């Protein structure tokens, strides 16, 4: 429970930082986006991929990995064109 509390506090701190950075210009926001995307990519590769490979067949694992890569591509497109 303590680790969940720490995680929740970190999420609140991240939300506060993003709200504060919103009005300070493009430079601050461009620093927040890569950090956030990197966090999602890290979680996907470290915790989700081993679970996918352990609990599904090769075809299902390939489809799930392609879905993960599609999500990363969407984050890249959003960051590029927003």
């Amino acid at each position: 429970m303590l680790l969940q509390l720490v995680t929740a506090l970190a999420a609140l701190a991240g939300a506060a930082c993003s709200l504060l950075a919103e009005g300070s210009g493009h430079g601050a926001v461009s620093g927040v986006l890569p950090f956030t995307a990197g966090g999602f990519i890290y979680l996907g590769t470290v915790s989700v991929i081993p679970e996918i490979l352990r609990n599904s067949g090769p075809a299902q694992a390939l489809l799930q990995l392609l879905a993960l890569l599609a999500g990363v591509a969407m984050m890249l497109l959003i960051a590029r064109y927003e």
Side-chain angles (χ1 to χ4, degrees):
M1 282 180 38
L2 181 61
L3 289 176
Q4 287 181 342
L5 176 65
V6 171
T7 304
L9 290 175
L12 281 173
C17 288
S18 67
L19 289 174
L20 291 172
E22 181 179 0
S24 64
H26 182 68
V29 174
S30 67
V32 172
L33 276 176
F35 182 75
T36 305
F40 282 116
I41 293 169
Y42 173 77
L43 287 174
T45 56
V46 170
S47 62
V48 174
I49 289 177
E51 187 75 24
I52 289 171
L53 294 176
R54 190 177 14 212
N55 293 334
S56 60
Q60 183 68 25
L62 179 64
L63 286 174
Q64 291 175 348
L65 289 174
L66 289 174
L68 178 71
L69 291 175
V72 170
M74 281 189 241
M75 284 192 283
L76 179 65
L77 287 172
I78 289 170
R80 174 122 175 119
Y81 293 110
E82 186 171 311

